[in-house]
Amino acid sequence: MEPNKKLPLFIVSGASGVGKTTMCEILFRRETKYIVMESDILWKEEFNTPEDNYRKFRELWMTMCANISQSGLPVVLCGCGIPEQFEVCEARKYFTDLHYLALVCDTEALETRMRKGRGIADEGWIQSSVSFNEWLQKNAQNTSPAITLINTTNLTPEETAGKAEEWITGILTNE
């Protein structure tokens, strides 16, 4: 079955520990204008292919989101990713537009959230998250399309979800 309804796709990204899963859970529980999906639920080691920018994983999710969109509701896909990983996918043709949002926070806050909040002791994981968080803050406006940022350092999860919801509904209102 070939998807025939073209809707926008919203991609919410951010480093591990920045608050995206918590925010997406809040959106998932309360929203009726779109469908929220968490990309980590389908992750398998076979998708760990940084050499091709995780292409099979991105294609799988974009195809799945296109099929879910056939319900008439757009999808908000939560997980790590940047535009260059999605815009090149064959399944990109199934969407009117792809919109990117990333959650970021101060480095100290991120490290505290990972170490104390999530109990992560793997220094490589922590440094990788810090590096991606810093990359997003420095490069979000230079990606194509640009990534909108929400700094979660001083926001509650509910406030973060409120800002994300405003961003999503603002775009949907203008579509």
Side-chain angles (χ1 to χ4, degrees), residues 55-70:
R55 182 69 178 264
K56 287 183 183 177
F57 188 64
R58 304 300 178 213
E59 290 284 3
L60 172 69
W61 266 112
M62 289 187 71
T63 302
M64 180 123 81
C65 290
N67 279 288
I68 292 168
S69 294
Q70 298 312 290

Side-chain angles (χ1 to χ4, degrees), residues 2-3 6 62 87 89-96 98:
E2 187 80 8
K6 286 189 175 186
M62 289 187 71
E87 295 294 330
C89 289
E90 198 173 305
R92 169 65 180 87
K93 65 185 176 189
Y94 297 128
F95 301 95
T96 55
L98 273 60

Side-chain angles (χ1 to χ4, degrees), residues 109-143:
L110 180 59
E111 289 182 0
T112 300
R113 290 174 187 181
M114 292 186 78
R115 291 180 206 282
K116 294 181 180 169
R118 294 183 59 193
I120 296 170
D122 181 335
E123 291 301 320
W125 185 2
I126 293 169
Q127 186 51 52
S128 174
S129 292
V130 167
S131 294
F132 184 49
N133 186 61
E134 290 173 352
W135 185 91
L136 285 167
Q137 290 178 59
K138 290 177 186 168
N139 296 290
Q141 292 304 310
N142 300 323
T143 62

Side-chain angles (χ1 to χ4, degrees), residues 162-175:
K163 288 185 176 291
E165 189 170 36
E166 287 175 18
W167 176 77
I168 295 164
T169 56
I171 292 168
L172 289 174
T173 300
N174 292 323
E175 288 275 321

Side-chain angles (χ1 to χ4, degrees), residues 21-32:
T21 299
T22 302
M23 183 210 68
C24 286
E25 286 175 4
I26 293 168
L27 293 178
F28 177 80
R29 286 193 305 268
R30 71 180 186 198
E31 192 44 56
T32 59

Side-chain angles (χ1 to χ4, degrees), residues 150-168:
I150 296 176
N151 189 317
T152 66
T153 304
N154 298 309
L155 298 177
T156 66
E158 291 78 18
E159 290 169 331
T160 302
K163 288 185 176 291
E165 189 170 36
E166 287 175 18
W167 176 77
I168 295 164

Side-chain angles (χ1 to χ4, degrees), residues 4-17:
N4 56 21
K5 288 182 188 173
K6 286 189 175 186
L7 299 174
L9 174 63
F10 298 90
I11 298 170
V12 177
S13 187
S16 292

